[in-house]
Amino acid sequence: MKNLFYLFLLSLCFVSFTKKQTKRPNIIVIFSDDHALQAISAYGSPHVKTPNIDRIAREGVIFRNTFCTNSICGPSRAVLLTGKYNHLNGQYDNRTETKINTGQPMFPKYLQENGYATSWIGKWHINNNPQYFDYWKVLPGQGQYYNPDFINMDNSRTRTEGYATNIITDEAIQWLDKGRDKSKPFSLVIGHKAPHREWQPDAQDLHAFDGKQFDVPKTFFDDYKDRKAAQHQQMEIKDLRWDWDLKVGASDVGYVKRMNKTQRKAWDDYYETENAKLDTTKMTAKEIALWKYQRYMHDYMACILSLDRNIGRVLDYLDKTGLAENTIVIYASDQGFYLGEHGWYDKRFMYEESLRMPFIMRYPKMVKPNTVVDNMVVNIDFAPTILHAAGVPIPNDMQGKSVLPLVSSKKKPKDWRKSMYYHYYEYPDAHRVMPHFGIRTERYKLIYYYGNGTSWELIDLKNDPDEVKNEINNPNYKAVIAKLKKELKTLMIQYKDNEALELLEKAMKTPQL
Ligand code: CA
């Protein structure tokens, strides 16, 4: 009888243990590269439809005000991993000399220690191999769209025939299906190269926009008046390279030469036919800039079609296998991007198009369909959110907060942040965007550029949503500026950016420029 009683107790413990185990959600983060909010229909894109990304929003939550701390590839991934600003995780920029310690604490470390199977597949863009992943297979550096090479866990390199977005998805599904330890909950990051420069579409999407003219942003011919750093940059669409970027006379560029015969034929059939219609001798400089814009938009949007389709494949797999209910799916990109605003491509600046990140999440067990969050989220929040969702304590040295309370109707936090801190470093390569730091509140943006000359900018987002007026010398804003400088300093102290604090204190002693 006594034995039976113990057996009963033991079975109760087992039931409660397994119940606890099955409760822990799986976590998939689909993290693309340079995907602008203006190219996602859930964010109101006028350019393209993204039904699969929209589906994540419709069945979950869309965060409409998510910002990155440093608008560039490697640094954003380091923030995703560590939940810390780049002055603490070491990934200041994309330079090949920047090699951070990938053994520092990161969210996969804590997940792994707490019984998760962890994996990262695709674009990684940190110059040391991943750690804390049960499985990883990553693109070297920026990676290739066509027939990409991968670095494997034994440090060998292999080349896979095909198109990167498809292959990365194949690899991810294969790990989900056959690679992982199915006794554990899992965490998987699917890192896409798309839609990064040089925007090489999959052959099947080349004709998707035949006959379409993309709307030109009203700031396309911005004169950069009163904005010194904007005058100094080199990231204008009018200067895109004909061969590498625009696919005109591109038969000798490296990525075209890696294509196989079938890929090359589809590529040439499309571009050579279209390029034959171009005669620049009869065009003005403005007309050429607009032609370049249309080609740029065509290629960028065609990359988005493949990205969205492949996200659909992952969602379908989760449905088919019954994993959807207990799997958190996050879609985000490392930062936003310019699609002709201010005449630009690329990112880096603290202006809205590149400061913003798409961030959409589905978690049927917690998030009601069609939830919208307007609170200010920063990418330091991603790692704490993932740990919180997994029931793992958030380490004190992570600088962000879990966003889960923002999506639960019961306990919405009242003291959520009302301002965010930004710091960009990489200069002069590439694109000559001066290093800068700044603060963004709900209405204002105060930016300080340093390095090659210094300058302040104040943007009033309410009166100037296109960010073309620098109000720093407008006496009406004197009190606002003083308040923002004080708040900027508080944020620097809070986030321990001592280097920037020194620069700010020096700048505050000198007359305004
Ligand atoms: Ca990027």
Side-chain angles (χ1 to χ4, degrees):
M1 192 63 198
K2 207 175 164 188
N3 279 351
L4 265 180
F5 179 68
Y6 280 126
L7 203 64
F8 173 68
L9 271 186
L10 201 67
S11 67
L12 268 187
C13 288
F14 182 71
V15 167
S16 119
F17 175 72
T18 47
K19 212 174 154 193
K20 208 175 164 193
Q21 287 295 93
T22 52
K23 263 188 183 171
R24 296 201 291 171
N26 306 306
I27 301 158
I28 297 181
V29 180
I30 305 173
F31 205 66
S32 64
D33 200 304
D34 295 357
H35 193 179
L37 274 69
Q38 314 91 286
I40 298 175
S41 36
Y43 285 101
S45 173
H47 306 298
V48 70
K49 292 264 177 282
T50 48
N52 293 295
I53 296 173
D54 295 5
R55 185 187 155 194
I56 305 174
R58 198 171 60 244
E59 295 174 357
V61 50
I62 184 163
F63 295 87
R64 294 199 295 202
N65 290 300
T66 304
F67 304 102
C68 61
T69 64
N70 182 4
S71 180
I72 184 171
C73 309
S76 179
R77 279 168 187 76
V79 174
L80 163 68
L81 284 159
T82 61
K84 291 175 191 164
Y85 274 79
N86 296 126
H87 58 269
L88 296 187
N89 63 42
Q91 187 80 39
Y92 291 91
D93 51 37
N94 272 350
R95 295 176 317 137
T96 43
E97 307 88 275
T98 304
K99 286 190 192 314
I100 65 160
N101 170 19
T102 51
Q104 65 183 296
M106 297 178 172
F107 82 78
K109 170 184 190 278
Y110 300 108
L111 290 183
Q112 209 173 37
E113 284 170 0
N114 283 276
Y116 268 74
T118 58
S119 176
W120 185 301
I121 292 165
K123 186 164 178 183
W124 165 251
H125 206 192
I126 286 171
N127 297 323
N128 272 321
N129 284 347
Q131 296 193 44
Y132 310 124
F133 294 102
D134 298 359
Y135 179 74
W136 58 265
K137 181 168 182 167
V138 298
L139 300 173
Q142 294 283 9
Q144 294 283 347
Y145 277 104
Y146 276 88
N147 310 326
D149 295 330
F150 285 88
I151 309 174
N152 302 300
M153 290 178 81
D154 61 3
N155 230 10
S156 65
R157 293 202 182 197
T158 43
R159 184 169 295 194
T160 310
E161 193 98 342
Y163 185 70
T165 313
N166 300 331
I167 296 166
I168 290 165
T169 308
D170 293 344
E171 293 279 351
I173 291 176
Q174 200 181 321
W175 183 76
L176 287 174
D177 213 38
K178 298 200 170 67
R180 69 190 165 97
D181 176 348
K182 290 192 178 173
S183 69
K184 295 176 172 180
F186 67 82
S187 148
L188 163 67
V189 179
I190 306 174
H192 282 293
K193 172 178 175 59
H196 194 279
R197 195 182 186 186
E198 291 93 1
W199 318 293
Q200 297 151 44
D202 188 355
Q204 66 172 300
D205 298 312
L206 285 168
H207 288 276
F209 298 100
D210 281 358
K212 183 174 171 76
Q213 285 287 304
F214 293 95
D215 294 344
V216 181
K218 57 182 169 184
T219 60
F220 188 75
F221 292 109
D222 191 351
D223 61 4
Y224 314 125
K225 189 172 174 283
D226 300 328
R227 284 157 290 150
K228 280 189 188 171
Q231 290 161 20
H232 189 75
Q233 52 65 42
Q234 288 178 348
M235 48 186 265
E236 289 170 59
I237 286 171
K238 71 175 174 58
D239 300 322
L240 280 171
R241 299 166 299 180
W242 285 107
D243 50 2
W244 281 83
D245 295 318
L246 298 165
K247 294 87 180 176
V248 176
S251 56
D252 284 332
V253 306
Y255 67 76
V256 174
K257 287 209 271 204
R258 346 171 24 103
M259 292 177 184
N260 64 33
K261 274 187 184 163
T262 318
Q263 293 164 343
R264 182 68 192 264
K265 187 176 181 314
W267 186 267
D268 287 347
D269 282 352
Y270 177 76
Y271 286 107
E272 284 188 10
T273 311
E274 290 301 310
N275 294 347
K277 300 173 193 166
L278 173 70
D279 179 2
T280 53
T281 58
K282 292 176 187 150
M283 294 163 79
T284 63
K286 268 193 170 183
E287 285 167 340
I288 292 173
L290 289 169
W291 188 94
K292 287 185 168 184
Y293 169 75
Q294 292 297 334
R295 171 58 58 87
Y296 161 62
M297 290 292 278
H298 168 274
D299 293 348
Y300 184 99
M301 295 305 162
C303 291
I304 298 299
L305 295 182
S306 163
L307 178 65
D308 186 72
R309 185 167 56 242
N310 276 287
I311 290 168
R313 288 178 60 206
V314 175
L315 298 179
D316 289 347
Y317 175 83
L318 297 177
D319 285 340
K320 205 175 67 190
T321 50
L323 286 167
E325 182 66 17
N326 197 37
T327 300
I328 297 173
V329 178
I330 290 173
Y331 179 68
S333 189
D334 55 354
Q335 15 60 216
F337 214 65
Y338 296 95
L339 300 179
E341 300 84 4
H342 309 286
W344 295 339
Y345 62 97
D346 215 72
K347 53 254 181 182
R348 301 164 198 273
F349 276 101
M350 202 190 157
Y351 300 127
E352 291 294 277
E353 290 81 4
S354 51
L355 177 65
R356 286 178 177 274
M357 306 169 78
F359 177 29
I360 303 173
M361 180 169 77
R362 184 181 76 175
Y363 183 17
K365 283 194 173 168
M366 181 187 269
V367 184
K368 286 189 190 139
N370 291 306
T371 301
V372 174
V373 170
D374 282 327
N375 299 73
M376 199 177 262
V377 172
V378 179
N379 55 341
I380 47 171
D381 298 333
F382 289 171
T385 301
I386 291 167
L387 294 183
H388 187 194
V392 174
I394 301 165
N396 287 334
D397 64 346
M398 280 194 177
Q399 296 183 307
K401 294 179 188 180
S402 166
V403 303
L404 295 184
L406 297 174
V407 298
S408 117
S409 52
K410 286 174 204 156
K411 8 169 199 175
K412 282 210 167 148
K414 288 189 183 127
D415 59 344
W416 196 260
R417 72 168 73 80
K418 297 266 191 261
S419 61
M420 64 83 54
Y421 174 60
Y422 184 83
H423 195 165
Y424 169 81
Y425 300 87
E426 192 173 280
Y427 182 86
D429 292 328
H431 304 294
R432 293 174 69 80
V433 175
M434 287 189 193
H436 55 289
F437 51 70
I439 177 173
R440 188 200 188 281
T441 64
E442 282 167 2
R443 176 161 175 184
Y444 298 106
K445 201 178 281 181
L446 180 75
I447 311 170
Y448 181 70
Y449 296 92
Y450 64 91
N452 188 351
T454 57
S455 61
W456 284 99
E457 266 175 37
L458 175 75
I459 308 282
D460 181 345
L461 291 162
K462 191 178 166 199
N463 293 333
D464 176 28
D466 295 323
E467 301 177 285
V468 291
K469 283 185 214 147
N470 181 6
E471 304 284 12
I472 199 74
N473 292 317
N474 182 340
N476 297 337
Y477 288 98
K478 211 177 158 190
V480 169
I481 293 167
K483 195 168 169 247
L484 287 168
K485 281 184 180 170
K486 209 173 147 197
E487 207 174 328
L488 175 60
K489 191 175 167 180
T490 306
L491 289 180
M492 280 175 179
I493 293 165
Q494 181 189 334
Y495 294 121
K496 302 183 170 69
D497 192 351
N498 300 331
E499 232 174 297
L501 188 62
E502 212 172 291
L503 286 165
L504 177 68
E505 281 175 341
K506 203 172 142 200
M508 280 160 80
K509 281 180 202 150
T510 52
Q512 208 134 283
L513 299 165

